[in-house]
Each structure stands twice: as C-alpha cells, then as structure tokens.
Amino acid sequence: MSRPLPRPTADTRHFWDGCATGELRYQRCAHCGEVQLIPRSLCSACQHADLEWHRSGGQGRVLSYTVVHRAPTPAFKDETPYIIALVDMSEGFRLMVNVRGGGATPLAIGQSVRIGFREIEGMALPEAQVLE
Ligand SMILES: [Zn+2]
C-alpha cells in the first residue's frame, strides 16, 4: 500500500513548491501582520486577501508531541513508532511535523528543532530535526 501524500491545491501549491527547493514558506498578512501556515486565500485573523509569502529560517521549539505506535493505515506500519510534533516557529506560526529519527528520538517540550525535508515518493515533506 502506498503512502498517502499531500495534494497541493491553489492555496497550498506555493508552499509545496518551496518544500521541493528546500524552503519552508509561510504567509504574512500585509493588512494586520498575522502570520499563518496552513496556507489560505484569506488571513485567518482579519479575512483580508492581501497575503505575502515569506521564507522561514527553519528554527522552532516543540510545543507538544506524540509517539505513534499503532499505524493509522497499513501504509505507515513499517514506520512505527514515529513522532509527530507541534512546533512553534520563530516567525510566529505553528507547524505539525514528523520528527526525524522516528520514535527513538529523545524529545522534550521546549526542545529546539530545525525544519528540514524528507523526500517520499518524489515529494519533499517537512520534518523536524532535534538540535543538541
Ligand atoms: Zn490579517
């Protein structure tokens, strides 16, 4: 069974194109300054459509995480255990992301991570790497 992958839409294509070139991109509202990721056509704070794309420096801290021991579908059974983390990025947006190294990775709330990319079936997906 092949792994389900994200399907870029008109709103998210620029984000996924960035991943393919090693850039983590996010949106900032030119009207109110709010930053957001998941990409949308409107600002999640003020609903203006005047959104700009920016490149993240890739630095963040773990807000929370979970270790997945039971695969949600057969496509993930060879990957368990793995970690999914919520990461607060230094630019102010929040990212849900897999953690490199799987379930054996030592991780803690507040841990510094850097976002890199992992290629799966031709698609670059963000993943967090623990910083010492
Ligand atoms: Zn706004």
Side-chain angles (χ1 to χ4, degrees):
M1 180 177 208
S2 68
R3 181 176 166 153
L5 292 170
R7 294 182 187 163
T9 66
D11 287 341
T12 66
R13 184 164 310 280
H14 193 68
F15 171 80
W16 293 113
D17 287 349
C19 292
T21 62
E23 286 187 13
L24 182 66
R25 297 173 178 170
Y26 64 98
Q27 293 176 311
R28 178 182 294 138
C29 176
H31 183 73
C32 76
E34 183 78 9
V35 294
Q36 65 185 18
L37 186 71
I38 302 167
R40 298 172 177 91
S41 57
L42 299 175
C43 172
S44 60
C46 76
Q47 284 73 54
H48 272 251
D50 195 4
L51 296 167
E52 304 168 334
W53 284 95
H54 294 270
R55 178 181 178 172
S56 170
Q59 303 289 329
R61 289 189 178 276
V62 173
L63 171 71
S64 187
Y65 68 94
T66 187
V67 181
V68 178
H69 291 277
R70 183 173 175 175
T73 76
F76 293 91
K77 70 178 170 53
D78 294 335
E79 300 201 24
T80 57
Y82 59 90
I83 300 174
I84 297 174
L86 278 177
V87 177
D88 281 336
M89 301 301 295
S90 59
E91 292 88 358
F93 64 94
R94 185 168 290 163
L95 181 67
M96 181 180 286
V97 67
N98 283 63
V99 177
R100 183 178 297 176
T105 305
L107 198 61
I109 304 299
Q111 177 91 45
S112 292
V113 296
R114 177 172 183 77
I115 303 302
F117 298 90
R118 176 182 177 198
E119 188 174 323
I120 298 183
E121 297 176 24
M123 188 162 199
L125 303 179
E127 71 173 6
Q129 181 173 4
V130 172
L131 299 178
E132 300 303 323

PDB file of all heavy atoms in Angstrom, residues 3 31 63 71 76 106:
ATOM      1  N   ARG A   3       1.889   5.173   0.451  1.00  0.00           N
ATOM      2  CA  ARG A   3       1.618   6.135   1.498  1.00  0.00           C
ATOM      3  C   ARG A   3       0.794   7.304   0.951  1.00  0.00           C
ATOM      4  O   ARG A   3       1.087   7.821  -0.120  1.00  0.00           O
ATOM      5  CB  ARG A   3       2.961   6.643   2.014  1.00  0.00           C
ATOM      6  CG  ARG A   3       2.854   7.638   3.122  1.00  0.00           C
ATOM      7  CD  ARG A   3       4.248   7.973   3.604  1.00  0.00           C
ATOM      8  NE  ARG A   3       4.172   9.160   4.422  1.00  0.00           N
ATOM      9  CZ  ARG A   3       5.020   9.430   5.381  1.00  0.00           C
ATOM     10  NH1 ARG A   3       6.011   8.634   5.612  1.00  0.00           N
ATOM     11  NH2 ARG A   3       4.885  10.517   6.094  1.00  0.00           N
ATOM     12  N   HIS A  31      -2.061  43.366   5.718  1.00  0.00           N
ATOM     13  CA  HIS A  31      -3.007  44.282   6.353  1.00  0.00           C
ATOM     14  C   HIS A  31      -2.810  44.333   7.880  1.00  0.00           C
ATOM     15  O   HIS A  31      -2.712  45.401   8.456  1.00  0.00           O
ATOM     16  CB  HIS A  31      -4.437  43.872   6.012  1.00  0.00           C
ATOM     17  CG  HIS A  31      -5.477  44.784   6.554  1.00  0.00           C
ATOM     18  ND1 HIS A  31      -5.728  46.041   6.041  1.00  0.00           N
ATOM     19  CD2 HIS A  31      -6.331  44.635   7.587  1.00  0.00           C
ATOM     20  CE1 HIS A  31      -6.687  46.621   6.727  1.00  0.00           C
ATOM     21  NE2 HIS A  31      -7.080  45.780   7.677  1.00  0.00           N
ATOM     22  N   LEU A  63       6.212  22.523  20.966  1.00  0.00           N
ATOM     23  CA  LEU A  63       5.112  22.870  21.865  1.00  0.00           C
ATOM     24  C   LEU A  63       4.568  21.606  22.505  1.00  0.00           C
ATOM     25  O   LEU A  63       4.297  21.563  23.705  1.00  0.00           O
ATOM     26  CB  LEU A  63       3.996  23.581  21.094  1.00  0.00           C
ATOM     27  CG  LEU A  63       2.704  23.796  21.862  1.00  0.00           C
ATOM     28  CD1 LEU A  63       2.906  24.858  22.946  1.00  0.00           C
ATOM     29  CD2 LEU A  63       1.564  24.176  20.929  1.00  0.00           C
ATOM     30  N   ALA A  71      -0.023   2.167  13.617  1.00  0.00           N
ATOM     31  CA  ALA A  71      -0.170   2.850  12.332  1.00  0.00           C
ATOM     32  C   ALA A  71      -1.643   3.140  12.046  1.00  0.00           C
ATOM     33  O   ALA A  71      -2.491   2.257  12.204  1.00  0.00           O
ATOM     34  CB  ALA A  71       0.417   1.994  11.223  1.00  0.00           C
ATOM     35  N   PHE A  76       1.559   3.009   6.879  1.00  0.00           N
ATOM     36  CA  PHE A  76       2.520   3.523   7.857  1.00  0.00           C
ATOM     37  C   PHE A  76       3.061   2.438   8.779  1.00  0.00           C
ATOM     38  O   PHE A  76       3.805   2.732   9.707  1.00  0.00           O
ATOM     39  CB  PHE A  76       1.869   4.636   8.696  1.00  0.00           C
ATOM     40  CG  PHE A  76       1.544   5.878   7.911  1.00  0.00           C
ATOM     41  CD1 PHE A  76       0.316   6.035   7.301  1.00  0.00           C
ATOM     42  CD2 PHE A  76       2.483   6.895   7.788  1.00  0.00           C
ATOM     43  CE1 PHE A  76       0.024   7.180   6.576  1.00  0.00           C
ATOM     44  CE2 PHE A  76       2.201   8.045   7.065  1.00  0.00           C
ATOM     45  CZ  PHE A  76       0.965   8.182   6.450  1.00  0.00           C
ATOM     46  N   PRO A 106      15.088  11.178  21.237  1.00  0.00           N
ATOM     47  CA  PRO A 106      14.778  11.829  22.515  1.00  0.00           C
ATOM     48  C   PRO A 106      14.218  13.221  22.254  1.00  0.00           C
ATOM     49  O   PRO A 106      14.817  13.998  21.525  1.00  0.00           O
ATOM     50  CB  PRO A 106      16.134  11.885  23.223  1.00  0.00           C
ATOM     51  CG  PRO A 106      17.153  11.745  22.154  1.00  0.00           C
ATOM     52  CD  PRO A 106      16.512  11.034  21.001  1.00  0.00           C
TER      53      PRO A 106
END
